[in-house]
Amino acid sequence: MPAENLQEEGLEKNPNLRLAQLKFFLSRPEHKNDAKAKNELMDGIKLNNMVPFYEELCTDLGWKVDQALLKKMKEANTTKLKELSDALEDAEQNLTETEVRDALLDRAEFLCRIGDKEACLTAFRKAFDKTVALGHRLDIIFHLIRVGLFYMDNDLITRNIDKAKSMIEEGGDWDRRNRLKVYQGVYSMAIRDFKSATNYFLDTVSTFTSYELMDYNKFVTYTVIVSMLSLDRTDLRQKVVKGSEILEVLHSLSDVRTFLFSLYDCRYADFFKSLAKVEQMLKVDRLMAPHYRYYVREMRISAYTQLLESYRSLTLQYMADAFGVSIDFVDQELSRFIAAGRLHCKIDKVNGIVETNRPDSKNWQYQETIKKGDLLLNRVQKLSRVINI
């Protein structure tokens, strides 16, 4: 696990993604009156005089605008922007290109800090054009990706991730290469590419320094959650269950630890209880909320598959007892997943038995080869007609 003091050496939390998470949390009907979250969010807004973000927040959440607070924050921002503009003008007239770049960057970071998205993007692009050093140019790109993650602007994120990848190939250092992997992992998770997210997270679990995105506990939580869905049992054991960095943190994350080990140790009743807790956690996570139903469904299929692979046949009563649910629930679940082709078994309802019918991989390959061969012959025949003409 990275040393605790690395958090102090990381990049500034600008924009602070915690505020975007709090806004999402308060947008949920069941949490809209949560006083603790609202106070934390307002403290963050007041700390950085986030006028544009506050106005957007009041519109989206239906809050009444505090005109006195708004006026106070606007006056503070006007004063600060004048100082930054004066500093930039002085640098352009009397100082070198380096000082001009620094002044442009200070202005861009301030606009980002107060939540003025469009103005900060324009300012960052101007600062980028004035920047020569590859490392500093990459830092600006990372800042733009964070702005994209704050507002979940997919176009802004993808364009800058692609730009960062090409720049790192030119000679980016070790720290920035690892940082980019974490950013790519977070975005992959947000768009439901859990396989890619797993690979990026596991590559950086021992070198994580991207505290501007999240703390290490949150990073390990995400790593475990996406790995359980993406990895087979052998890889999960090798990379997660036996991973020393992950195990060290899981001691303080009891729910996540139970979730992981209940599936690995085949304690399915405990797994279903843990899955319910994880579902509630994902519902209020702005990155995973759009995918929580998909995730829960796939994890249930994974658990059913793991149990069925161990038997030629077993009773519905045994499965119901193993998962701590009723026979009717198991019957409905299995019927749905069998019909969708997700589980390879059949239910003998009369005798209350589930019989597995594992697919024959060689037969499937044979059928697939014939199917593709027919398609190829048809295309060759069409092509020969065109050539003859």
Side-chain angles (χ1 to χ4, degrees), residues 375-389:
L375 186 63
L376 178 62
L377 284 172
N378 289 335
R379 287 180 177 174
V380 169
Q381 286 172 353
K382 287 179 182 177
L383 182 62
S384 66
R385 292 192 202 108
V386 173
I387 292 172
N388 289 337
I389 290 169

Side-chain angles (χ1 to χ4, degrees), residues 211-241:
Y211 293 100
E212 68 277 8
L213 295 182
M214 67 191 93
D215 61 32
Y216 193 61
N217 283 9
K218 190 70 174 175
F219 175 73
V220 169
T221 299
Y222 282 146
T223 303
V224 171
I225 284 172
V226 296
S227 296
M228 288 179 68
L229 185 61
S230 304
L231 299 180
D232 59 34
R233 187 175 171 82
T234 305
D235 287 338
L236 187 68
R237 180 182 187 277
Q238 180 184 346
K239 297 177 180 179
V240 180
V241 173

Side-chain angles (χ1 to χ4, degrees), residues 178 181-182 199-208 216 219:
N178 283 323
K181 284 184 180 180
V182 178
N199 293 332
Y200 289 129
F201 286 163
L202 289 174
D203 282 349
T204 54
V205 76
S206 60
T207 56
F208 178 81
Y216 193 61
F219 175 73

Side-chain angles (χ1 to χ4, degrees), residues 46 52 152 162 171 192 238 252:
K46 292 173 186 175
M152 285 314 298
D162 291 341
R192 202 184 286 184
Q238 180 184 346
S252 59

Side-chain angles (χ1 to χ4, degrees), residues 304-338:
Y304 291 137
T305 302
Q306 183 171 290
L307 177 62
L308 290 168
E309 281 179 347
S310 305
Y311 300 94
R312 185 72 182 171
S313 66
L314 65 168
T315 64
L316 282 169
Q317 183 65 57
Y318 177 81
M319 285 196 72
D321 292 343
F323 286 97
V325 294
S326 67
I327 292 177
D328 288 341
F329 179 84
V330 170
D331 185 25
Q332 289 175 7
E333 283 268 281
L334 295 184
S335 300
R336 187 158 58 95
F337 293 139
I338 291 168

Side-chain angles (χ1 to χ4, degrees), residues 9 37 39 78 82 86 109 118 143 147 150 159 208 226 236 239 242 248 254 259 271 274 286 320 348 357 385:
E9 298 173 11
N39 290 336
T78 302
K82 187 176 185 309
D86 292 344
E109 288 178 349
E118 296 306 323
H143 212 130
V147 172
F150 187 88
R159 280 191 290 107
F208 178 81
V226 296
L236 187 68
K239 297 177 180 179
K242 297 294 182 182
E248 186 178 346
S254 58
F259 181 54
F271 171 73
S274 296
R286 73 191 192 98
D348 181 349
N357 52 355
R385 292 192 202 108

